[in-house]
Amino acid sequence: MLQLVSWSVMLFTLASCQSPQGTYVSAEEYSGGGAQAAEGTRLPAPARVESQAGGGGPVAAGPAGEDEIVGKRREFEGRRRGLHRQAEDLDRKRADLEDKRRKSSLENQSAQAQADVDLAAAERALRLAEQDLEHFVEVERDRRLREDQLTLTSSSDNLTEVAEELAQLEMMYDDSDLGDATAEIVLQRTRRRIRRAEERHALVEAKSRDLRSITLPREEESLRAKRHEAVVKLDNLRRGLEAAALSQAMAQRGLEGEQVDLARKAEDLARDETELEQDMRSWESGLSARGS
């Protein structure tokens, strides 16, 4: 950039060497002009200069030539400003790219930490579901069936015992001298116990049927479904982690692509700056040749 500024200063100096009437003042004349002016002698100036193209023959120096110099100088200044702005844009894009990389790195670290937690939880849920199902099939179901059978047997035995007791009472009271009223009270009390025992036994039998046909099968089905859900959740989580890894790889390639694009733009900018310097040198050489 300092080189471009120095070239601008040189262009301005060259442009200032022309008088408003188009009279060209060479370096030698400019250096000695003060002494000659003191003597009242006017500096001679060439009436015509060569055109920049070199093939158009001599042309009169004047406002048109000065306008050409000013226009060319403005063109170089415009190119210089454009390149400077491109350099600023490139610096901002580089800073943005660095921020993107840092953000992506932080997000990846956070996502990986959460993924480890989720994966461990899913694996634990599957392990517990498998243990619950295995325990139910091998231990719990058989134990509850035995307990139910024991309850059913106890209820049946109780009903039988009450019925036997009633039969004994009836036999005893047939051979007893107790009055009919007393015997009837005892017998009615025993008969009520039998009815309650029969109702209770009916309920125990119904509950036993439900346990075998509904409760235990449904519990086993629920445990198997829970295990299946744990398997699916774990598989989906692993697939999600794989998809996230692919997304991260794609994002990384995108950042690398941005880096390549910025490097190419930097090369193009350097080439344009070099071309501008060459064009300015070439134009200055042509301008010097016209004035000689």
Side-chain angles (χ1 to χ4, degrees), residues 2-156:
L2 294 176
Q3 292 180 346
L4 294 179
V5 174
S6 64
W7 281 112
S8 300
V9 174
M10 293 177 63
L11 291 175
F12 178 80
T13 304
L14 289 171
S16 64
C17 291
Q18 286 191 341
S19 65
Q21 293 78 19
T23 304
Y24 182 85
V25 181
S26 65
E28 292 79 6
E29 293 170 339
Y30 180 79
S31 62
Q36 294 182 11
E39 297 175 0
T41 305
R42 182 177 180 83
L43 292 174
R48 305 171 68 85
V49 296
E50 297 295 330
S51 64
Q52 184 177 0
V59 295
E66 182 179 356
D67 291 343
E68 178 185 356
I69 294 174
V70 172
K72 197 66 176 178
R73 180 170 61 83
R74 289 176 178 174
E75 176 187 343
F76 287 136
E77 286 295 326
R79 290 173 62 182
R80 181 188 63 79
R81 285 193 299 271
L83 294 177
H84 180 69
R85 291 171 182 173
Q86 290 180 27
E88 291 178 342
D89 292 341
L90 188 60
D91 290 338
R92 283 193 296 269
K93 291 179 179 179
R94 284 171 175 167
D96 290 342
L97 179 59
E98 184 62 26
D99 290 341
K100 287 181 181 179
R101 284 178 171 173
R102 293 181 58 189
K103 180 182 177 183
S104 177
S105 177
L106 293 175
E107 289 177 347
N108 291 342
Q109 293 176 8
S110 177
Q112 185 60 47
Q114 186 61 46
D116 294 340
V117 173
D118 294 341
L119 186 61
E123 291 175 345
R124 179 176 180 274
L126 177 58
R127 184 177 67 256
L128 294 179
E130 290 176 341
Q131 291 176 356
D132 291 343
L133 178 59
E134 181 180 1
H135 179 75
F136 178 82
V137 172
E138 297 182 359
V139 179
E140 182 69 16
R141 180 175 59 186
D142 294 339
R143 182 172 61 192
R144 289 171 65 180
L145 286 173
R146 290 196 303 270
E147 289 176 350
D148 175 73
Q149 185 61 44
L150 182 60
T151 301
L152 186 62
T153 301
S154 298
S155 177
S156 177

